[in-house]
Amino acid sequence: RSIFWVYAAALVATAAIALSLPRTGSVRSASVLRGAAHLFRSRELVGFLGAALIVFTAFNGVSWFYSLALLGLGGSGSEVGLVWAVGATIEVPLMFLYPRLARRFGGGRLLVAGATLFALRAILSALATEPWMLIAISAIEGPSYALVFVGGVDYVSHRAPQGLARSEEHTSE
């Protein structure tokens, strides 16, 4: 039960921090449908979004059943928690390091690396015969998700039509 109190306190702290952030720039309203129409005129973005759909569908297919697979192999509820903690422990720092990694290796390479790690995780998970194997394999989830998720956002924001992308300098080229 204590986790719910910790979660509630974290949400309150997050709200307090968000409300304390200074507001900068001007607010402008944009039509979501018009923006989507502009976005889908780009063949490159349509191709990327199609590939992203395939990658995230595969990722979710594995993720949704990962805990059940671990339990099916004789793992415990504590081990299920450990699996997801391992992934998040690796994922969060990589998300913060992404801009530095993108400058060094390129955002496109990081996206491909993340998608490749997704595939590796799926293959290894399918071959696992013991709970400890799925726990070890769970370390792949963190870097794969961080690289694909942050890399995908960066990719789209860099290639979105004028006025739809973020205004800061982009991390990948």
Side-chain angles (χ1 to χ4, degrees):
R1 293 183 184 176
S2 63
I3 190 67
F4 295 107
W5 290 108
V6 171
Y7 183 67
L11 287 175
V12 169
T14 301
I17 291 168
L19 291 171
S20 71
L21 293 174
R23 298 186 189 273
T24 59
S26 61
V27 177
R28 68 174 201 195
S29 114
S31 166
V32 173
L33 293 177
R34 191 174 301 132
H38 285 293
L39 202 63
F40 285 110
R41 285 188 193 126
S42 166
R43 296 192 77 178
E44 183 180 13
L45 284 174
V46 169
F48 170 77
L49 293 173
L53 176 66
I54 292 167
V55 168
F56 275 107
T57 299
F59 169 75
N60 286 326
V62 172
S63 294
W64 289 339
F65 294 100
Y66 208 86
S67 299
L68 294 174
L70 181 62
L71 293 172
L73 291 175
S76 68
S78 296
E79 289 172 322
V80 168
L82 177 62
V83 157
W84 296 108
V86 166
T89 301
I90 297 168
E91 171 186 315
V92 172
L94 274 177
M95 287 181 163
F96 283 107
L97 289 172
Y98 183 86
R100 185 180 302 164
L101 293 171
R103 282 190 296 275
R104 179 165 181 172
F105 300 107
R109 286 187 178 134
L110 294 178
L111 270 169
V112 170
T116 302
L117 288 172
F118 274 154
L120 177 64
R121 176 180 174 237
I123 292 166
L124 293 176
S125 298
L127 298 174
T129 57
E130 297 291 330
W132 68 265
M133 294 173 163
L134 287 177
I135 294 168
I137 294 164
S138 71
I140 299 172
E141 187 271 337
S144 61
Y145 185 79
L147 296 177
V148 171
F149 183 76
V150 179
V153 169
D154 184 57
Y155 183 90
V156 171
S157 71
H158 186 73
R159 288 161 179 81
Q162 187 69 21
L164 295 179
R166 66 181 180 163
S167 60
E168 298 174 28
E169 182 180 313
H170 303 290
T171 57
S172 68
E173 187 56 37

